[in-house]
Amino acid sequence: MGNLTYKGVRDFYPEDERIKRYIFDVLEKTVELYGYEPYNASVLEPTELYASKTSEEIVNEQTYTFTDRGGRSVTLRPEMTPTVARMVSSKRRELGFPLRWYSIQNFFRYEKPQRGRLREFWQLNVDLFGATDTAADAEIVEIAYRVLRAFGATEEMFTIKIADRNLLETAFDASGMTVEQKRAYRKVLDKKNKMSEDEFEKEVRAITENDPLLLIQKRDISIEQALGETETLLNRLNARGIHNVEFDPSIVRGFDYYTGMVFEIFDTSEENNRALFGGGRYDYLVKEYGGEDVPAVGFGMGDVTVRDFLETHTLLPNARATTDLYLAPATPEDVEKASGTAQFLRNAGLQVALGLKHKKISDHIKAAEKLAIPFFAVYGAKEEESGMISIRTIKTKEETTVPLEGVARIIEAL
Ligand code: HAM
């Protein structure tokens, strides 16, 4: 039989699923602290949802699109923003604003699988609808920052880079670029952090003599207003105790819907050069799906890059099985007895796996170890008679003997 795995999509064996769940848990707790409510949607969308609204590169080169049995064109969602904008648009009269929503879902993009980029990834999306103030922009960036801090990251481990779409557009106009030149320039900028300075300059010179980035650095008068807003945002973030944030006009973001502030977060460690987070303000997308303007700002953060980040900085806690206790029958004849006790312990709140396959106690212990179950106990005639049970901590091999009623309490304390 050939290789029955599709390249770039994900199998989560329990040890990966454990890490994923740990990560999602931290994400959920952090964003819920800010008053964000979970929502959800299907992975299938009509292809028109994306037409001329998101990113040409994604729509033309990276979507998985097919015709269903009724002849409709269907796309596996490559991102959440069009979906959530459509959802908000169609219920905008009933919804309360400012609306704070989040989701953690999987997405599909036909990319070349490589470190930090796969064809299926999970993404946390956090979006705030109905507020135009820089305080809303600041909240979104702050949440992204808090998410990484909640994993135990220090400010030295990552950098937040902020820019403004208007800034680049104004600089484009000031430098007199054509639509074609602008498009080519944005493409080069989007790849900037994967090139050397020299390569970048060479590619820019091939497009224009009048580098708009230099205009921004020179603080040309026509861009003062957009710069002012970025400064207000940076000041707000500093006042909120966030210092690893900087203005970087080369942040462009590949999507058409952004209208103001845009940002990305990078690992300071060289080996992970892909963005961990990307987001920004998109004030007109909701309206494109019907009704009036609903300004919005938000971000997406992927599970692949965040796991690389946590591993690189050794921030991942030791993963253990969700199962607390492996309960082995003392002899194969004791299975039913042990099963009753397992049920008693489950009722007391423990996650208990019953030993089945092995005869020898030492084989049961080995199995528990391999399954990453932290505690082990044997149950048979002796335990039934005495009402006492010995709890072994697999890692240290230490044993504590306690009455059956005390097992849950002991395990929680160990
Ligand atoms: P994005 O920059 O395409 O933005 O994706 C955001 C994050 O998702 C990236 O920084 C990365 O962590 C992860 N990601 C994207 N593509 C892949 C991939 N192929 N493999 C692994 N991870 C990936 C958006 O998707 C916007 N819709 C975000 C947004 C929400 N803007 C406003 N609200």
Side-chain angles (χ1 to χ4, degrees):
M1 208 186 287
N3 181 6
L4 292 181
T5 3
Y6 181 67
K7 207 169 148 189
V9 300
R10 319 284 292 283
D11 284 336
F12 289 91
Y13 286 85
E15 60 184 279
D16 300 312
E17 185 66 15
R18 248 172 246 146
I19 292 173
K20 177 165 152 256
R21 278 209 198 180
Y22 162 74
I23 291 174
F24 288 5
D25 218 43
V26 173
L27 300 180
E28 283 170 11
K29 287 204 180 97
T30 310
V31 298
E32 285 180 6
L33 282 176
Y34 285 80
Y36 284 69
E37 294 285 332
Y39 69 95
N40 210 333
S42 170
V43 64
L44 297 180
E45 288 285 12
T47 304
E48 305 96 89
L49 184 75
Y50 304 101
S52 66
K53 289 191 180 65
T54 71
S55 143
E56 247 177 58
E57 187 191 11
I58 290 185
V59 172
N60 296 341
E61 295 163 33
Q62 297 184 345
T63 47
Y64 283 87
T65 294
F66 62 94
T67 309
D68 75 6
R69 291 170 199 276
R72 301 165 204 92
S73 183
V74 178
T75 294
L76 290 182
R77 62 180 173 205
E79 57 155 336
M80 201 58 159
T81 313
T83 300
V84 73
R86 167 176 58 75
M87 288 169 70
V88 170
S89 157
S90 63
K91 283 255 163 78
R92 66 193 178 280
R93 286 181 214 290
E94 292 127 78
L95 295 167
F97 293 94
L99 185 74
R100 293 178 163 95
W101 278 6
Y102 82 92
S103 64
I104 305 176
Q105 294 299 317
N106 57 340
F107 298 89
F108 299 86
R109 293 184 194 174
Y110 190 76
E111 295 202 55
K112 185 162 168 268
Q114 55 195 289
R115 183 167 173 84
R117 284 293 176 272
L118 296 173
R119 287 177 175 168
E120 181 186 10
F121 57 95
W122 290 71
Q123 201 187 56
L124 163 70
N125 274 264
V126 177
D127 291 273
L128 169 51
F129 295 90
T132 49
D133 198 73
T134 51
D137 298 3
E139 176 171 312
I140 285 297
V141 179
E142 179 185 345
I143 293 171
Y145 170 91
R146 290 284 163 218
V147 160
L148 290 179
R149 295 300 306 255
F151 285 112
T154 61
E155 290 200 345
E156 289 71 38
M157 296 177 186
F158 64 99
T159 312
I160 307 169
K161 296 186 172 183
I162 294 189
D164 193 306
R165 263 289 163 86
N166 296 322
L167 204 52
L168 195 63
E169 289 307 316
T170 318
F172 275 166
D173 293 339
S175 66
M177 288 163 84
T178 64
V179 175
E180 267 317 305
Q181 279 175 310
K182 288 180 193 174
R183 187 169 297 146
Y185 189 87
R186 273 198 215 98
K187 255 200 172 144
V188 176
L189 260 193
D190 216 25
K191 296 185 297 189
K192 185 171 184 257
N193 69 332
K194 284 160 232 152
M195 295 188 255
S196 70
E197 290 269 317
D198 281 352
E199 278 169 334
F200 177 71
E201 269 175 33
K202 206 170 136 214
E203 295 218 14
V204 167
R205 251 181 280 118
I207 300 166
T208 173
E209 286 296 311
N210 215 355
D211 187 349
L213 274 193
L214 292 180
L215 284 183
I216 294 175
Q217 273 149 18
K218 278 192 281 179
R219 303 193 67 129
D220 183 288
I221 193 73
S222 60
I223 57 175
E224 271 304 316
Q225 195 200 337
L227 263 184
E229 282 202 12
T230 305
E231 256 164 32
T232 308
L233 175 60
L234 288 174
N235 289 338
R236 279 188 193 273
L237 291 170
N238 289 160
R240 293 180 189 199
I242 300 170
H243 301 291
N244 54 343
V245 52
E246 63 190 40
F247 168 55
D248 183 340
S250 71
I251 297 297
V252 271
R253 308 280 300 134
F255 299 91
D256 300 335
Y257 47 66
Y258 292 119
T259 53
M261 183 276 291
V262 284
F263 78 104
E264 285 185 337
I265 298 185
F266 292 90
D267 192 336
T268 47
S269 151
E270 297 278 309
E271 67 214 75
N272 302 321
N273 63 349
R274 303 254 165 202
L276 289 160
F277 292 67
R281 174 164 286 285
Y282 53 105
D283 285 344
Y284 306 118
L285 186 63
V286 176
K287 191 182 178 179
E288 295 220 19
Y289 296 116
E292 56 276 4
D293 281 351
V294 180
V297 56
F299 69 75
M301 186 215 69
D303 72 320
V304 183
T305 36
V306 84
R307 187 175 162 172
D308 288 344
F309 173 81
L310 298 176
E311 279 172 350
T312 301
H313 297 281
T314 55
L315 291 173
L316 274 181
N318 275 337
R320 50 155 276 194
T322 54
T323 311
D324 301 307
L325 177 71
Y326 183 114
L327 188 68
T331 70
E333 287 68 49
D334 294 318
V335 169
E336 290 314 312
K337 228 179 252 166
S339 164
T341 301
Q343 196 50 34
F344 173 84
L345 295 173
R346 288 178 196 125
N347 290 340
L350 291 178
Q351 274 112 319
V352 184
L354 184 64
L356 289 175
K357 185 176 176 319
H358 307 286
K359 292 196 175 65
K360 288 202 301 209
I361 296 301
S362 60
D363 288 338
H364 279 299
I365 295 180
K366 273 186 220 144
E369 197 166 5
K370 209 162 184 184
L371 292 165
I373 300 174
F375 300 104
F376 177 86
V378 174
Y379 197 83
K382 191 178 114 210
E383 287 73 19
E384 190 181 31
E385 220 165 86
S386 65
M388 302 291 279
I389 186 165
S390 295
I391 305 297
R392 179 186 178 100
T393 306
I394 293 281
K395 212 188 264 159
T396 61
K397 301 193 172 86
E398 275 166 34
E399 288 199 7
T400 319
T401 306
V402 288
L404 199 53
E405 295 72 35
V407 172
R409 205 168 14 88
I410 281 290
I411 285 191
E412 268 151 35
L414 279 174

